[in-house]
Amino acid sequence: MTLLFLILIGRIYLVQVVDGAMWYDEAKKRWAAADTIAAKRGEITDRDGNVLAMDTIAYNVSVDPQIIHEADIAEEVIDGLHETLGIPKDELDKQVKAQKDDGTYYRSRELRKGGWQIDKTVADGIRTFRDELEEKLKDDKKAQDTGIYLTETLKRYYPRDSLASQLVGYVSLDGENKTGVEAYFDDQLTGVDGFIKYEKDGKRVQLSKGEVDYQAPKDGSNIKLTIDSDIQQYVVEALRDIVEKYAPKSATAIAADPNTMEILAMANMPEFNPNEYGKYDYASFYNHAVGSLYEPGSTFKIATLAAAVEEGVFNPDEIYQSGSIVVPGDPRPIREHNRVGWGKISFLDGLKYSSNVAFVKLGFERLGADKLRDYFTKFGFGQKTGIELTNELPGLINLKYNRDIASASFGQGQVQVTAIQQVAAVAAVANGGKLMVPHIVKSITDPSTKTTTVHEPKFVRQVISEQTSKQVGEYLEQVVSDLEKGTGRNAYIEGYRVAGKTGTAQKVINGKYSTDKFLVSFIGYAPVDNPRIVLYIMVDEPNDPLVGGGTVAAPAFREIVLKSLRKMGVAPNWDLIEKEQEEEQNKEIQISVPDLKGLKVSQAQAELQGQGMAFELVGGGGTVLSQIPSAGSLIHPTQKVYLVTETKDQLSVPDLTGVSLRDALELTSLIGARLVPEGTGYVVSQQVIEQNGERLVKVKLSPPEGSEGYAQAMSEGNANETGGADDDSEDSGSGTGSDGGDDENGGSPDTGGDSGDSGGSGGVGTEGSQGGEN
């Protein structure tokens, strides 16, 4: 007995004294618990702070096969999780019954396929199922632990779904795969996880006086993009309409501020929803705006035109012979897109008709290979623009032979560019000749230090002079405003000066130019005198080989730019409208006023902003009581919609400038005032007076400048008659057939693929295309 106690005491002494420190450390490890505190990934917003990407609470599901086996509930767990999560039963069977090599069960298995980063509604379903299973175990007098666990975590969420999806990109559930801004700015967006280490008892309860080690998480930086969500939505809707009508392989659009090269919108079709990225194929993720190369076609003529004007070799009134031209060293003629040309015409008309021969003469004969290549390089072609996206390509300008030089002058041959390069180059033409670096980030904010880094516009080089920029803008404006000859006439917007150029390029298939596969496009900017937006639309392989950029892309350009200018608050320039153009365009672009009565003011504003319509609130109420014009009225998009939010005894007289006499009468009647008009047309000034207890609103009205009767409406009587229609305008020639050629449509190329824009088969008739010039 004594020997036994001596051995026991010796052993106790050895454990508690000699090896005490070592065993104490081992005990602390068992007492210790550590939890990771996840850092939030930075938010991505548009220029106005609307969230495009954010972290939100999610849940991960895991199971304990050992506990499930001991409770004998494997089949119930498999059935319940299958019904709640939708995971196949065979996959659940592998996880719920998972065993090690020695035959023992695992203590934890994560359900990554289907049970990873689930939403709260699904997590609530798991909790309900688990609670019911616990009650059953309790009734059966078994252990109450079901072996089903939920862990709160964070997941990436995109509130606007597919809006700007290729630009913003996505983060996969496991965080391994990223695209777009999410990938390019991953280091800034990713935060640093924190942790808490503490001591616990046997039931995993934290000891009140135990040691605690805590480090707070550091959230990722928030990124504000230059994107305008409203303009992005205009672009997306227009591209969806193109896809519905022409079923192309893809469609791409980029809108930017030409003065700063801030990207206002960037969209591609097909699109995808980053919240459900697993449902889409690779083509939906691809951002063609920066990652696809193509021969641009006639939109590229803008660079050649700018170079020719800068070098003084473009005379708009000079006459040349259109039709075809042969370059030295190559017997194959380069033809016009309509195959036959327009006879002897001026170089300005050649620009309007998108004449290939005119640009071969300018680029090949007058500028020459060295100067042409130099200007293409100055405009940024053949090099990356530096936009903050991962898959940008540099493009190619390869001018070796005479044929290459001649073809490059009108955008085909050994010329491959990206959409973003086109936008940057045309922006330089629009903004006074300054090539700018396109960028999509406006600022980055560190949430820890509250410091914000603003991304300023970056100037690259002066490509052309301001005078050249102005001249080229005026020439390109006529491509749109000349409603007879201009290939870009479908982009005309009443009241705004628009410059632009169509493009219809044959695609190379198996080394030869295809006769039925085209890439059609339109690029332009507005207003010409003070550019606020440059927009490029590109459509790859529309299903009709006879349509060109003027038919497919120009109408979409008009719709997007009109809505965007209204959203920006850019007023129309009525001084430049002619009566003929006004009457024709009013028929084309009238839109219907939505029914806003009864809506909250914020809802009504959002509805009108979404359609690019101007509006003014009348009163300070929170609900729309009535509206002028009434719902369903057809108006020009530049006309205001008045939202009346209070009863007439509470209302003040709104600004009536620009309102028609009819609407002015209705509006003043609604607010309990009497209108005293002077003149006809639209309100140009107003005066509110009180007379015998009655409110009088005296207004002066005048027709839009340039319309019929404008001279008589001017008080000084000295207005010119430029707005009137020429009596000879009807004598435009009866057999022009010019619609076929103007639109750069449809003709088939010669063997060997010599020409650029595929021309229309419609003939010009005898002398017909020269008629009708006022």
Side-chain angles (χ1 to χ4, degrees):
M1 290 288 292
T2 302
L3 182 59
L4 179 61
F5 277 108
L6 287 174
I7 293 172
L8 181 59
I9 292 170
R11 181 60 180 166
I12 292 173
Y13 180 81
L14 179 65
V15 170
Q16 292 191 317
V17 179
V18 178
D19 296 331
M22 182 269 290
W23 291 115
Y24 180 70
D25 290 339
E26 290 297 318
K28 284 179 68 68
K29 291 179 183 178
R30 283 185 168 272
W31 302 335
D35 292 323
T36 299
I37 306 174
K40 279 190 175 182
R41 189 173 176 85
E43 288 185 349
I44 301 175
T45 68
D46 73 354
R47 65 190 303 119
D48 297 318
N50 300 307
V51 177
L52 301 175
M54 61 182 289
D55 273 3
T56 186
I57 293 176
Y59 301 86
N60 295 336
V61 182
S62 61
V63 294
D64 187 327
Q66 175 69 33
I67 291 178
I68 293 173
H69 171 72
E70 291 174 352
D72 194 21
I73 53 173
E75 297 306 321
E76 290 94 325
V77 169
I78 291 171
D79 291 340
L81 294 180
H82 168 71
E83 183 177 346
T84 309
L85 297 174
I87 302 174
K89 287 188 176 182
D90 56 346
E91 178 63 28
L92 286 169
D93 189 83
K94 293 177 184 177
Q95 302 298 334
V96 171
K97 300 178 180 179
Q99 291 178 293
K100 301 177 184 178
D101 292 338
D102 61 4
T104 61
Y105 285 88
Y106 282 99
R107 296 307 308 264
S108 179
R109 301 294 285 178
E110 296 173 337
L111 303 182
R112 285 183 172 263
K113 293 182 179 180
W116 203 247
Q117 294 195 345
I118 62 174
D119 294 331
K120 183 178 184 300
T121 52
V122 180
D124 288 342
I126 294 292
R127 290 191 184 96
T128 300
F129 166 66
R130 186 176 60 184
D131 292 343
E132 292 173 353
L133 194 55
E134 285 180 355
E135 286 298 320
K136 180 182 176 182
L137 290 173
K138 184 178 180 181
D139 293 341
D140 293 344
K141 297 181 180 180
K142 296 181 179 179
Q144 295 183 27
D145 191 346
T146 60
I148 304 172
Y149 307 109
L150 283 170
T151 305
E152 188 175 292
T153 184
L154 296 171
K155 79 168 183 176
R156 206 61 170 161
Y157 175 62
Y158 302 89
R160 303 298 296 271
D161 293 330
S162 61
L163 191 73
S165 55
Q166 289 99 350
L167 176 64
V168 175
Y170 75 96
V171 179
S172 61
L173 293 180
D174 57 10
E176 294 297 322
N177 299 314
K178 305 176 181 72
T179 62
V181 173
E182 295 275 30
Y184 192 92
F185 291 96
D186 186 47
D187 290 343
Q188 290 92 326
L189 289 165
T190 302
V192 179
D193 291 343
F195 61 84
I196 180 170
K197 296 179 181 178
Y198 58 92
E199 294 181 342
K200 66 180 187 309
D201 62 16
K203 294 183 179 180
R204 298 187 63 83
V205 177
Q206 184 177 350
L207 299 176
S208 60
K209 296 183 179 181
E211 297 178 4
V212 177
D213 187 8
Y214 171 76
Q215 180 173 305
K218 181 181 179 183
D219 293 340
S221 295
N222 298 321
I223 295 180
K224 178 181 286 189
L225 302 182
T226 59
I227 295 298
D228 184 306
S229 288
D230 289 332
I231 297 178
Q232 181 76 26
Q233 190 62 44
Y234 305 154
V235 169
V236 168
E237 290 172 355
L239 291 186
R240 286 173 180 165
D241 289 343
I242 289 175
V243 170
E244 181 178 356
K245 188 173 183 180
Y246 296 104
K249 283 179 61 178
S250 67
T252 298
I254 305 173
D257 181 339
N259 300 298
T260 63
M261 270 311 292
E262 290 184 349
I263 303 301
L264 302 175
M266 181 182 288
N268 298 272
M269 296 287 153
E271 58 188 335
F272 78 100
N273 183 346
N275 293 312
E276 302 174 331
Y277 65 87
K279 296 181 179 180
Y280 299 86
D281 59 16
Y282 177 75
S284 300
F285 303 130
Y286 200 75
N287 189 352
H288 296 281
V290 297
S292 290
L293 296 176
Y294 55 91
E295 294 182 21
S298 289
T299 54
F300 200 69
K301 291 174 180 176
I302 294 177
T304 304
L305 174 65
V309 174
E310 180 74 6
E311 294 296 322
V313 298
F314 178 80
N315 180 354
D317 299 319
E318 181 184 351
I319 303 299
Y320 76 99
Q321 178 66 47
S322 66
S324 65
I325 189 171
V326 176
V327 298
D330 194 320
R332 297 170 300 168
I334 293 176
R335 304 183 188 278
E336 306 289 12
H337 56 75
N338 72 346
R339 318 307 297 160
V340 296
W342 305 269
K344 290 185 177 182
I345 58 175
S346 69
F347 272 93
L348 181 57
D349 280 347
L351 173 64
K352 295 177 184 179
Y353 286 128
S354 194
S355 165
N356 292 335
V357 173
F359 281 86
V360 172
K361 286 182 173 294
L362 292 174
F364 175 74
E365 294 184 353
R366 301 186 180 183
L367 289 173
D370 292 339
K371 280 188 177 179
L372 195 63
R373 184 188 296 106
D374 182 52
Y375 273 100
F376 289 164
T377 301
K378 286 180 178 178
F379 272 116
F381 297 110
Q383 56 203 285
K384 292 183 179 181
T385 64
I387 192 170
E388 310 100 318
L389 290 170
T390 54
N391 63 327
E392 185 184 9
L393 297 177
L396 173 69
I397 302 292
N398 185 16
L399 308 183
K400 288 184 178 181
Y401 306 107
N402 288 342
R403 184 86 182 184
D404 298 336
I405 302 164
S407 298
S409 66
F410 56 84
Q412 291 222 231
Q414 298 298 310
V415 176
Q416 291 185 322
V417 303
T418 61
I420 193 64
Q421 287 174 340
Q422 288 261 82
V423 173
V426 174
V429 172
N431 67 21
K434 299 182 291 291
L435 183 68
M436 309 292 291
V437 175
H439 62 110
I440 57 175
V441 172
K442 201 165 185 67
S443 64
I444 299 179
T445 300
D446 186 326
S448 300
T449 62
K450 307 298 182 184
T451 57
T452 298
T453 303
V454 178
H455 286 214
E456 301 290 349
K458 293 182 181 179
F459 171 77
V460 181
R461 67 179 71 91
Q462 189 76 28
V463 183
I464 56 176
S465 67
E466 290 189 20
Q467 180 61 29
T468 296
S469 169
K470 181 179 178 182
Q471 286 181 290
V472 174
E474 291 172 353
Y475 298 145
L476 291 174
E477 181 180 7
Q478 295 184 56
V479 175
V480 176
S481 62
D482 191 327
L483 302 184
E484 178 191 352
K485 301 176 183 177
T487 56
R489 59 186 177 274
N490 286 334
Y492 175 82
I493 303 174
E494 180 188 359
Y496 292 99
R497 298 181 62 190
V498 179
K501 187 73 190 73
T502 56
T504 306
Q506 296 163 268
K507 295 189 67 175
V508 176
I509 307 295
N510 297 324
K512 294 183 179 181
Y513 282 107
S514 171
T515 60
D516 60 356
K517 295 185 185 300
F518 301 93
L519 189 145
V520 302
S521 57
F522 189 91
I523 193 167
Y525 56 91
V528 173
D529 51 342
N530 181 26
R532 296 290 302 278
I533 184 172
V534 56
L535 173 64
Y536 180 55
I537 299 175
M538 177 183 67
V539 182
D540 188 5
E541 291 188 25
N543 58 9
D544 185 351
L546 299 181
V547 295
T551 300
V552 179
F557 173 94
R558 179 179 66 186
E559 176 187 345
I560 296 166
V561 170
L562 176 58
K563 290 180 178 179
S564 299
L565 291 176
R566 295 306 308 167
K567 200 265 181 183
M568 295 174 182
V570 179
N573 188 345
W574 293 103
D575 295 344
L576 299 169
I577 303 175
E578 295 183 358
K579 179 173 181 277
E580 296 178 294
Q581 297 171 348
E582 178 184 354
E583 290 177 351
E584 182 170 344
Q585 295 302 317
N586 268 338
K587 297 175 185 177
E588 294 185 29
I589 57 176
Q590 285 185 327
I591 58 177
S592 177
V593 179
D595 186 0
L596 306 168
K597 188 175 180 181
L599 296 181
K600 296 293 184 183
V601 168
S602 59
Q603 294 175 309
Q605 288 176 319
E607 177 78 15
L608 293 173
Q609 286 174 344
Q611 298 189 35
M613 301 176 70
F615 61 90
E616 183 171 331
L617 296 176
V618 182
T623 303
V624 178
L625 303 180
S626 58
Q627 66 183 75
I628 297 176
S630 59
S633 300
L634 293 176
I635 66 170
H636 188 274
T638 59
Q639 183 177 336
K640 283 184 180 178
V641 176
Y642 290 88
L643 305 177
V644 182
T645 63
E646 292 179 330
T647 56
K648 64 182 181 180
D649 56 328
Q650 300 173 306
L651 297 173
S652 58
V653 179
D655 179 13
L656 300 175
T657 304
V659 174
S660 67
L661 176 59
R662 182 190 64 184
D663 286 343
L665 284 167
E666 186 176 352
L667 189 60
T668 50
S669 173
L670 188 66
I671 64 176
R674 183 161 63 90
L675 187 74
V676 182
E678 178 184 337
T680 59
Y682 296 87
V683 177
V684 295
S685 65
Q686 70 184 69
Q687 180 185 11
V688 182
I689 61 175
E690 294 284 342
Q691 183 174 314
N692 300 325
E694 182 182 22
R695 275 193 301 179
L696 301 181
V697 182
K698 293 185 175 182
V699 297
K700 288 185 178 181
L701 300 101
S702 175
E705 185 174 345
S707 67
E708 190 173 318
Y710 171 70
Q712 292 81 355
M714 298 297 290
S715 60
E716 295 181 2
N718 61 353
N720 60 48
E721 298 178 355
T722 58
D726 194 319
D727 290 339
D728 295 333
S729 62
E730 297 301 322
D731 301 327
S732 59
S734 60
T736 66
S738 59
D739 286 348
D742 286 356
D743 223 6
E744 303 182 276
N745 298 338
S748 59
D750 287 346
T751 303
D754 46 86
S755 68
D757 287 346
S758 305
S761 57
V764 294
T766 304
E767 304 292 336
S769 62
Q770 302 300 316
E773 291 184 71
N774 296 330

